[in-house]
Amino acid sequence: MSRGTARRLGGRVAAVVGGGSGMGRSISLRLADEGAAVYVADLSDEAARAVVSEIERAGGAAYARKVDATDTEALRSFYGDIDAAHGRLHVLHHQVGMPGAGGIDVSVQDFDRAIDVNVKSAFYVATLGYELVKKADGAGSISMTASTAALVGSPFSPLYSMTKGALTSFTRALALFAAPDRVRVNVICPGPVDTPMLPTFFGRDPGANMQDLMSEFIGLVPLGRPASPEEIAGVVAFLASDDAGFVTGVTIPIDGGLTAR
């Protein structure tokens, strides 16, 4: 296939919740490139189908599902489909998130929405899919995407830092819970990533110059650039593979050295 990567996930089944665009799209493509049959779940049915078409054109196997990750019944139905078709799930990745409202003058509606999208979805994607991953006979991996804002404070949105920070402690706890079942759980914390979502993290205050704020923030990255979505996908693929068979409960910054300062 396209990148000629080692097919570390041959014969395995993967699900990427939030897999229709940006980092999720690249993760779906990479897992398929490494041999997994990938369920691409997204709030946008059109986006999920587009990613599945890319995978199929490259010779891989994939299935599109429209799923609202904040809807527990929709998640149960999604996992029920996978269970009926495969009886197990080897790789489960949560790639659902949104920027929090800027500043500290946050409406209850904006607060509740950020909690639903960034925290509730991660908890139920992982826990409702857990029994399927447990059936992978020691080859099960659950991973989530947080942010460097989980590790250092976001000057733009304390709410975003709070919601993403929750995923790092949840990962540690779930990894301990899951260890007797030989299920691994890890979380990645990307810095700035070159996707269409990146500009939405800046310029939320009236009169703010978005481009200046973006340039200033990227200038703090020691490697001097944002990550590509493919670089994020490579780390998720590693965590999903047997190469990471003794890696669980960890938080991995993918940030060009940003949190090393």
Side-chain angles (χ1 to χ4, degrees):
M1 295 175 72
S2 58
R3 281 177 289 272
T5 51
R7 294 174 66 80
R8 297 178 291 186
L9 304 177
R12 300 188 184 185
V13 181
V16 181
V17 181
S21 62
M23 286 183 277
R25 168 185 168 273
S26 290
I27 291 165
S28 298
L29 294 173
R30 178 61 181 264
L31 297 179
D33 199 25
E34 296 218 17
V38 181
Y39 280 80
V40 182
D42 202 273
L43 187 60
S44 168
D45 182 59
E46 181 180 2
R49 290 181 182 276
V51 174
V52 167
S53 293
E54 287 188 77
I55 290 171
E56 290 177 339
R57 285 197 299 271
Y63 314 91
R65 293 292 186 273
K66 176 178 170 60
V67 177
D68 179 349
T70 68
D71 183 340
T72 56
E73 290 308 311
L75 288 170
R76 286 189 176 95
S77 177
F78 173 59
Y79 292 130
D81 288 347
I82 298 174
D83 193 14
H86 304 281
R88 67 187 62 190
L89 181 62
H90 300 85
V91 181
L92 175 57
H93 182 74
H94 174 271
Q95 184 63 45
V96 177
M98 62 174 289
I104 59 172
D105 185 11
V106 176
S107 71
V108 172
Q109 291 82 2
D110 285 345
F111 178 90
D112 288 346
R113 180 61 177 161
I115 294 294
D116 280 351
V117 173
N118 291 350
V119 180
K120 177 185 176 182
S121 73
F123 181 85
Y124 283 108
V125 163
T127 58
L128 293 179
Y130 183 81
E131 289 300 319
L132 265 183
V133 181
K134 181 179 172 180
K135 293 179 181 179
D137 297 327
S141 167
I142 298 172
S143 53
M144 293 169 266
T145 296
S147 165
T148 52
L151 306 175
V152 297
S154 167
F156 306 105
S157 176
L159 175 59
Y160 183 70
S161 281
M162 183 180 80
T163 59
K164 288 300 187 179
L167 300 193
T168 62
S169 54
F170 174 49
T171 291
R172 292 192 296 272
L174 188 59
L176 294 176
F177 174 88
D181 295 324
R182 297 184 299 157
V183 172
R184 297 180 298 102
V185 187
N186 297 289
V187 62
I188 61 170
C189 289
V193 183
D194 188 12
T195 71
M197 191 175 177
L198 179 59
T200 66
F201 288 91
F202 302 93
R204 283 169 282 180
D205 296 327
N209 186 310
M210 183 178 66
Q211 290 301 324
D212 286 350
L213 289 171
M214 284 181 59
S215 297
E216 180 181 346
F217 182 61
I218 292 171
L220 297 174
V221 177
L223 288 184
R225 62 172 178 84
S228 71
E230 291 76 17
E231 289 172 315
I232 307 302
V235 177
V236 174
F238 161 72
L239 290 173
S241 75
D242 292 343
D243 288 340
F246 207 56
V247 179
T248 194
V250 302
T251 298
I252 301 179
I254 313 173
D255 63 359
L258 183 65
T259 56
R261 288 187 177 278

Coordinates of all heavy atoms in Angstrom, one line a residue, residues 1-34:
M1 N 0.8 -1.2 0.0 CA 0.0 0.0 0.0 C 0.9 1.2 0.0 O 2.1 1.2 -0.1 CB -0.9 0.0 1.2 CG -2.0 -1.2 1.1 SD -3.0 -1.4 2.6 CE -4.0 0.1 2.3
S2 N 0.3 2.4 0.2 CA 0.9 3.7 -0.1 C 2.3 3.9 0.6 O 3.2 4.4 -0.1 CB 0.0 4.8 0.2 OG -0.4 4.8 1.6
R3 N 2.4 3.7 1.9 CA 3.6 4.0 2.6 C 4.6 2.8 2.7 O 5.7 3.0 3.2 CB 3.3 4.6 3.9 CG 2.8 6.0 3.9 CD 2.4 6.5 5.3 NE 1.2 5.8 5.7 CZ 0.0 6.3 5.5 NH1 -0.1 7.4 4.8 NH2 -1.1 5.7 5.9
G4 N 4.1 1.7 2.3 CA 5.0 0.5 2.5 C 5.4 0.2 3.9 O 6.5 -0.3 4.2
T5 N 4.5 0.5 4.8 CA 4.8 0.3 6.3 C 4.7 -1.2 6.6 O 4.0 -1.9 5.9 CB 3.8 1.1 7.2 OG1 2.5 0.8 6.7 CG2 4.1 2.6 7.1
A6 N 5.3 -1.6 7.6 CA 5.2 -3.0 8.1 C 3.7 -3.2 8.5 O 3.1 -2.3 9.2 CB 6.1 -3.2 9.3
R7 N 3.2 -4.3 8.1 CA 1.8 -4.6 8.4 C 1.6 -5.2 9.8 O 1.3 -6.4 9.9 CB 1.2 -5.4 7.3 CG 1.1 -4.6 6.0 CD 0.7 -5.5 4.8 NE -0.7 -5.9 4.9 CZ -1.8 -5.2 4.6 NH1 -1.6 -3.9 4.2 NH2 -3.0 -5.6 4.7
R8 N 1.8 -4.4 10.8 CA 1.8 -4.9 12.2 C 0.4 -5.2 12.7 O 0.3 -5.9 13.7 CB 2.4 -3.8 13.1 CG 3.9 -3.5 12.8 CD 4.4 -2.4 13.8 NE 3.8 -1.1 13.5 CZ 4.2 0.0 14.1 NH1 5.2 0.0 15.0 NH2 3.7 1.2 13.7
L9 N -0.6 -4.8 12.0 CA -2.0 -4.9 12.4 C -2.8 -5.9 11.5 O -4.0 -5.9 11.5 CB -2.7 -3.6 12.5 CG -2.0 -2.6 13.4 CD1 -2.7 -1.2 13.4 CD2 -1.9 -3.1 14.9
G10 N -2.1 -6.7 10.8 CA -2.8 -7.6 9.9 C -3.7 -8.6 10.6 O -3.3 -9.1 11.7
G11 N -4.9 -8.7 10.1 CA -5.9 -9.6 10.8 C -6.6 -9.0 11.9 O -7.4 -9.7 12.6
R12 N -6.3 -7.7 12.3 CA -7.0 -7.1 13.4 C -8.1 -6.1 13.0 O -8.1 -5.7 11.9 CB -5.9 -6.4 14.3 CG -4.8 -7.4 14.8 CD -3.9 -6.8 15.8 NE -2.8 -7.7 16.1 CZ -1.9 -7.5 17.0 NH1 -1.9 -6.4 17.7 NH2 -1.0 -8.5 17.3
V13 N -8.9 -5.8 14.0 CA -10.0 -4.9 13.7 C -9.8 -3.7 14.6 O -9.5 -3.8 15.8 CB -11.4 -5.6 14.1 CG1 -12.5 -4.6 13.9 CG2 -11.6 -6.9 13.4
A14 N -10.0 -2.5 14.0 CA -9.8 -1.2 14.6 C -11.0 -0.4 14.5 O -11.8 -0.5 13.5 CB -8.6 -0.5 14.1
A15 N -11.2 0.5 15.4 CA -12.3 1.5 15.3 C -11.7 2.9 15.7 O -11.0 3.0 16.7 CB -13.4 1.2 16.3
V16 N -11.9 3.9 14.9 CA -11.5 5.2 15.1 C -12.8 6.1 15.3 O -13.5 6.3 14.3 CB -10.6 5.8 14.0 CG1 -10.1 7.2 14.4 CG2 -9.4 4.9 13.8
V17 N -13.1 6.5 16.5 CA -14.2 7.3 16.7 C -13.8 8.8 16.6 O -13.0 9.3 17.3 CB -14.8 7.0 18.1 CG1 -16.1 7.9 18.3 CG2 -15.2 5.6 18.2
G18 N -14.4 9.4 15.6 CA -13.9 10.7 15.2 C -12.9 10.6 14.0 O -12.0 11.4 13.9
G19 N -13.1 9.6 13.2 CA -12.1 9.3 12.2 C -12.3 9.9 10.8 O -11.6 9.5 9.9
G20 N -13.2 10.8 10.7 CA -13.6 11.3 9.4 C -12.8 12.5 8.9 O -13.0 12.9 7.7
S21 N -12.0 13.1 9.7 CA -11.3 14.3 9.2 C -10.0 14.6 10.1 O -9.9 14.0 11.1 CB -12.2 15.6 9.3 OG -12.6 15.9 10.6
G22 N -9.1 15.4 9.6 CA -8.0 15.8 10.4 C -7.1 14.7 10.8 O -6.8 13.7 10.1
M23 N -6.8 14.7 12.1 CA -6.0 13.6 12.7 C -6.7 12.3 12.6 O -6.1 11.2 12.4 CB -5.6 14.0 14.2 CG -4.6 15.0 14.3 SD -4.1 15.3 16.1 CE -5.4 16.4 16.6
G24 N -8.0 12.3 12.8 CA -8.8 11.0 12.8 C -8.7 10.4 11.4 O -8.6 9.1 11.3
R25 N -8.8 11.2 10.4 CA -8.6 10.6 9.0 C -7.3 10.0 8.9 O -7.2 8.8 8.3 CB -8.8 11.7 8.0 CG -8.4 11.3 6.6 CD -8.5 12.5 5.6 NE -7.9 12.2 4.4 CZ -6.6 12.4 4.1 NH1 -5.8 12.8 5.0 NH2 -6.1 12.1 2.9
S26 N -6.2 10.7 9.2 CA -4.8 10.1 9.1 C -4.6 8.9 9.9 O -4.0 7.9 9.5 CB -3.8 11.2 9.4 OG -3.8 12.2 8.5
I27 N -5.2 8.8 11.1 CA -5.1 7.6 11.9 C -5.8 6.5 11.3 O -5.3 5.3 11.2 CB -5.7 7.9 13.4 CG1 -4.7 8.9 14.1 CG2 -5.8 6.6 14.2 CD1 -5.3 9.5 15.3
S28 N -7.0 6.7 10.8 CA -7.8 5.6 10.1 C -7.0 5.1 8.9 O -6.9 3.9 8.7 CB -9.1 6.2 9.6 OG -9.9 6.6 10.7
L29 N -6.4 6.0 8.1 CA -5.6 5.6 6.9 C -4.4 4.8 7.4 O -4.1 3.7 6.7 CB -5.2 6.8 6.1 CG -6.3 7.6 5.4 CD1 -5.7 8.8 4.8 CD2 -7.0 6.7 4.4
R30 N -3.7 5.2 8.4 CA -2.5 4.5 8.8 C -2.8 3.1 9.4 O -2.1 2.2 9.1 CB -1.8 5.4 9.9 CG -0.5 4.7 10.4 CD 0.5 4.5 9.3 NE 1.7 3.9 9.9 CZ 2.8 4.5 10.3 NH1 2.9 5.8 10.2 NH2 3.9 3.9 10.7
L31 N -3.9 3.0 10.2 CA -4.2 1.7 10.8 C -4.6 0.7 9.6 O -4.2 -0.4 9.7 CB -5.3 1.8 11.8 CG -5.0 2.7 13.0 CD1 -6.3 2.7 13.9 CD2 -3.9 2.1 13.8
A32 N -5.3 1.2 8.6 CA -5.6 0.4 7.5 C -4.3 0.0 6.7 O -4.2 -1.1 6.2 CB -6.6 1.1 6.6
D33 N -3.4 1.0 6.6 CA -2.2 0.7 5.8 C -1.4 -0.4 6.5 O -0.6 -1.1 5.9 CB -1.4 2.0 5.8 CG -0.4 2.0 4.7 OD1 -0.5 1.3 3.7 OD2 0.6 2.8 4.8
E34 N -1.5 -0.5 7.8 CA -0.8 -1.5 8.6 C -1.6 -2.8 8.7 O -1.1 -3.7 9.4 CB -0.4 -0.9 10.0 CG 0.5 0.3 9.9 CD 1.6 0.3 11.0 OE1 1.8 -0.8 11.6 OE2 2.2 1.3 11.2

